[in-house]
Amino acid sequence: QVQLVESGGGLVQAGGSLRLSCAASGRTFSTYAMAWFRQAPGKEREFVAAISWIGGSTYYTDSVKGRFTISRDNAKNVLYLQMNSLKPADPAVYYCAARPGTIVRFINDYDYWGQGTQVTVSS
């Protein structure tokens, strides 16, 4: 069982940066693949980035490549999403998710979810 709590969202100007964190509870955090998803108003939840349990493999959706970086600290049970060069298309509620096994981008394959943190970008 893994419980996830996101933080770090807020209001930032276009071109600015934010770092999201996801604190995980549970002894098996280090064995779970982790991911970030986001959901804008009126839209479906979409995949943003994922990282393997040991952190050696990462995967990004095309729209955030080169701007966002996913990372994890297994000693602290924390997942991060560093977001740079934020654009008007990025505002959404950002969710972290966990699943045992390999990283995937499909929402239905993730077993555990946080409550989300709001990211707002002003132009």
Side-chain angles (χ1 to χ4, degrees), residues 22-68:
C22 174
S25 64
R27 294 176 295 175
T28 57
F29 171 78
S30 62
T31 66
Y32 281 70
M34 303 292 296
W36 289 97
F37 289 79
R38 65 186 179 186
Q39 187 168 17
K43 296 186 177 181
E44 294 185 351
R45 194 171 298 188
E46 64 174 0
F47 172 81
V48 176
I51 188 167
S52 61
W53 68 273
I54 202 171
S57 297
T58 56
Y59 184 61
Y60 298 90
T61 194
D62 287 345
S63 63
V64 307
K65 285 181 181 177
R67 301 189 298 122
F68 290 10

Side-chain angles (χ1 to χ4, degrees), residues 5-110:
V5 179
E6 302 95 333
S7 61
L11 173 65
V12 63
Q13 286 188 328
S17 299
L18 277 177
R19 189 176 79 159
L20 305 183
S21 298
C22 174
S25 64
R27 294 176 295 175
T28 57
F29 171 78
S30 62
T31 66
Y32 281 70
M34 303 292 296
W36 289 97
F37 289 79
R38 65 186 179 186
Q39 187 168 17
K43 296 186 177 181
E44 294 185 351
R45 194 171 298 188
E46 64 174 0
F47 172 81
V48 176
I51 188 167
S52 61
W53 68 273
I54 202 171
S57 297
T58 56
Y59 184 61
Y60 298 90
T61 194
D62 287 345
S63 63
V64 307
K65 285 181 181 177
R67 301 189 298 122
F68 290 10
T69 302
I70 188 171
S71 62
R72 65 191 296 167
D73 186 336
N74 286 342
K76 296 181 179 179
N77 281 11
V78 182
L79 174 73
Y80 301 102
L81 185 68
Q82 177 67 44
M83 305 186 295
N84 298 328
S85 302
L86 282 160
K87 299 179 178 180
D90 294 321
V93 177
Y94 282 70
Y95 299 89
C96 67
R99 69 181 301 271
T102 58
I103 56 173
V104 296
R105 62 178 297 165
F106 304 108
I107 187 172
N108 292 333
D109 288 333
Y110 284 85

